[in-house]
Amino acid sequence: MDEIIEILKEFEGIGSKAAKKIFFQIMTSNSKKDKLIEVINKISDNYSVCQICNFYKYKKVCQFCDDSSRDRNLICVVSYITDGQRILESNFKGLVHILNGEINLNKNLQPESLKIKELFARINKEVEILLALNLTFEGEVTANYIANQIKDNTKSVTRIARGIPLGGVLDYIDTETLEDAIKNRKALKK
Amino acid sequence: MDEIIEILKEFEGIGSKAAKKIFFQIMTSNSKKDKLIEVINKISDNYSVCQICNFYKYKKVCQFCDDSSRDRNLICVVSYITDGQRILESNFKGLVHILNGEINLNKNLQPESLKIKELFARINKEVEILLALNLTFEGEVTANYIANQIKDNTKSVTRIARGIPLGGVLDYIDTETLEDAIKNRKALKK
């Protein structure tokens, strides 16, 4: 049983407690078990990885690369495929590039471990690169590394804005973010 | 995709974020996917529910009910199968009975929804029932309900002791627990 729990735990997002709970649910409910197997097969039958941007393809169609209405000269760079999904759900009209991680020297994640070379292959003097990496230490390190490498080969490199999130309470926002939000203030339309 | 995420989320222990992460891991790694299917089949091939105590059987053997060295006149009642696993790992030498939940009137979990009737069928005047239910409101309600129903038909009904957990820091323990721990103090062996 420990061996089975260990295999379930190899999945990011499943901890020890969750692995045990999942184990017992599969054991006690045949219908849950069958549904799970069905879903796994559905995923591997219908979804694959896009070889251009590393986002997913559904029935061989990438909702970014295969959408001709999207601006091909604007590429939004994100760390994870889940971030790409967030971008897809937003009103962003360009393409994406998924890095599959962030540079983290403590965990021996070097630039070569990420899909950075593949990003470089996609850029040219017409392209704007929008770095939508997390505003964490690792995200900043990765953004700075990429910006430095590509600044001469692109039209421009931009970074998503720091500011107060929607519904954010000023009193709970850190000073740096608040200062950035003030500096980047926008005129309201009259 | 939302439909697939919803099915994954039906598993207790898997939330929205985890479901998405699992989805993308199944999609991007064929080896992880194959391992997961193998594990699911291993669970349903080798494990089943014990019809006596509701714990699991591995290759048709319940480590409680089918272990003749265990004291058949001491039954430890717990809420969940995961709690039963904790009891198995302890040095407890009696049997268990899994209720599959706790009474919770807000969630419409009545005594009839639990394996309480099955517990009643297992008791007699020789048996001690140890109620090892959680020390939460729902656990206490369930323990009280069972104790009231069975007290005349058993040798005795006991409740696990409240006290300071191993490694517990006195300063952080609530007063009620501390008072119980003092009241239930034990003489050290000389």
Side-chain angles (χ1 to χ4, degrees):
Chain A
M1 178 173 151
D2 286 343
E3 194 193 321
I4 289 174
I5 300 290
E6 282 309 311
I7 292 171
L8 290 174
K9 271 171 61 187
E10 279 176 22
F11 279 82
E12 208 197 321
I14 300 183
S16 291
K17 291 265 178 204
K20 276 181 198 163
K21 283 183 185 168
I22 294 165
F23 178 101
F24 289 126
Q25 287 169 86
I26 292 170
M27 187 192 86
T28 49
S29 165
N30 250 320
S31 75
K32 271 197 177 184
K33 180 213 127 200
D34 292 342
K35 253 187 183 173
L36 185 57
I37 295 219
E38 198 188 307
V39 143
I40 294 167
N41 287 327
K42 242 187 211 166
I43 294 172
S44 68
D45 290 349
N46 296 316
Y47 293 85
S48 57
V49 177
C50 175
Q51 295 307 310
I52 300 168
C53 70
N54 303 308
F55 195 63
Y56 67 84
K57 286 181 162 192
Y58 175 63
K59 296 190 189 285
K60 309 201 177 198
V61 173
C62 172
Q63 289 175 86
F64 288 106
C65 300
D66 295 323
D67 177 351
S68 59
S69 73
R70 289 188 173 268
D71 181 355
R72 315 202 83 73
N73 287 327
L74 175 58
I75 301 179
C76 176
V77 178
V78 295
S79 299
Y80 303 102
I81 205 165
T82 42
D83 300 331
Q85 183 66 23
R86 297 297 303 276
I87 300 293
L88 183 67
E89 289 158 11
S90 77
N91 63 1
F92 177 76
K93 291 292 173 234
L95 304 178
V96 290
H97 188 87
I98 321 284
L99 295 175
N100 281 348
E102 293 168 337
I103 297 171
N104 187 332
L105 301 183
N106 290 328
K107 293 183 180 164
N108 200 26
L109 282 166
Q110 310 272 351
E112 302 81 59
S113 330
L114 310 178
K115 299 282 183 188
I116 291 184
K117 225 172 44 203
E118 289 80 355
L119 171 64
F120 294 170
R122 297 179 69 190
I123 59 175
N124 60 56
K125 286 282 189 185
E126 327 276 59
V127 170
E128 173 185 342
I129 296 291
L130 164 57
L131 297 167
L133 304 171
N134 292 327
L135 286 157
T136 56
F137 179 72
E138 286 78 19
E140 295 284 6
V141 167
T142 312
N144 284 332
Y145 175 83
I146 294 176
N148 269 320
Q149 299 278 320
I150 62 176
K151 59 178 188 291
D152 298 330
N153 309 320
T154 47
K155 197 175 109 197
S156 65
V157 182
T158 54
R159 184 91 172 90
I160 43 165
R162 273 210 291 216
I164 317 290
L166 199 68
V169 179
L170 226 70
D171 201 20
Y172 288 88
I173 298 285
D174 68 289
T175 313
E176 218 176 325
T177 303
L178 184 58
E179 286 168 357
D180 275 1
I182 293 170
K183 206 162 62 190
N184 297 322
R185 65 191 177 278
K186 292 225 173 106
L188 293 171
K189 286 196 187 87
K190 281 194 217 167
Chain B
M1 180 172 149
D2 287 344
E3 195 193 320
I4 290 174
I5 300 291
E6 282 310 311
I7 291 171
L8 291 174
K9 271 172 62 185
E10 278 174 25
F11 280 81
E12 210 197 321
I14 301 183
S16 291
K17 291 266 177 205
K20 277 182 197 163
K21 283 182 185 167
I22 293 164
F23 178 101
F24 289 125
Q25 286 169 88
I26 292 170
M27 187 192 84
T28 49
S29 165
N30 250 319
S31 75
K32 272 198 175 179
K33 180 213 127 194
D34 292 342
K35 253 187 180 172
L36 185 57
I37 294 217
E38 196 188 308
V39 144
I40 294 167
N41 287 326
K42 241 186 210 167
I43 295 172
S44 68
D45 289 350
N46 295 318
Y47 293 84
S48 57
V49 177
C50 174
Q51 295 307 311
I52 301 167
C53 70
N54 304 308
F55 196 62
Y56 66 86
K57 287 181 159 191
Y58 175 63
K59 295 187 190 288
K60 308 200 178 197
V61 174
C62 171
Q63 288 175 87
F64 288 106
C65 300
D66 295 323
D67 176 352
S68 59
S69 74
R70 288 186 173 269
D71 181 354
R72 316 204 80 75
N73 287 327
L74 175 58
I75 301 180
C76 176
V77 178
V78 295
S79 300
Y80 302 101
I81 205 165
T82 42
D83 299 332
Q85 183 65 24
R86 297 297 303 278
I87 299 293
L88 183 67
E89 289 158 12
S90 78
N91 63 2
F92 177 78
K93 290 293 174 237
L95 305 179
V96 290
H97 188 86
I98 321 283
L99 295 175
N100 282 350
E102 293 168 337
I103 297 171
N104 186 333
L105 301 183
N106 290 329
K107 293 184 181 165
N108 200 27
L109 282 167
Q110 310 271 350
E112 303 81 57
S113 331
L114 310 178
K115 300 282 184 186
I116 291 184
K117 224 172 45 202
E118 289 79 355
L119 171 64
F120 293 171
R122 296 178 69 189
I123 60 175
N124 61 55
K125 286 281 191 188
E126 327 274 65
V127 170
E128 174 186 345
I129 295 291
L130 165 56
L131 297 167
L133 304 172
N134 292 326
L135 286 157
T136 56
F137 178 73
E138 286 77 18
E140 295 284 7
V141 167
T142 312
N144 284 333
Y145 175 84
I146 293 176
N148 268 320
Q149 298 279 320
I150 62 177
K151 58 181 190 291
D152 299 330
N153 309 321
T154 48
K155 198 175 111 198
S156 65
V157 182
T158 53
R159 183 90 173 90
I160 42 165
R162 272 211 290 216
I164 317 289
L166 199 68
V169 179
L170 227 70
D171 200 18
Y172 287 86
I173 298 285
D174 67 288
T175 312
E176 217 176 325
T177 303
L178 184 57
E179 286 168 359
D180 274 1
I182 293 170
K183 205 163 61 190
N184 297 322
R185 65 191 178 278
K186 293 225 171 108
L188 293 172
K189 285 195 187 86
K190 281 195 223 168

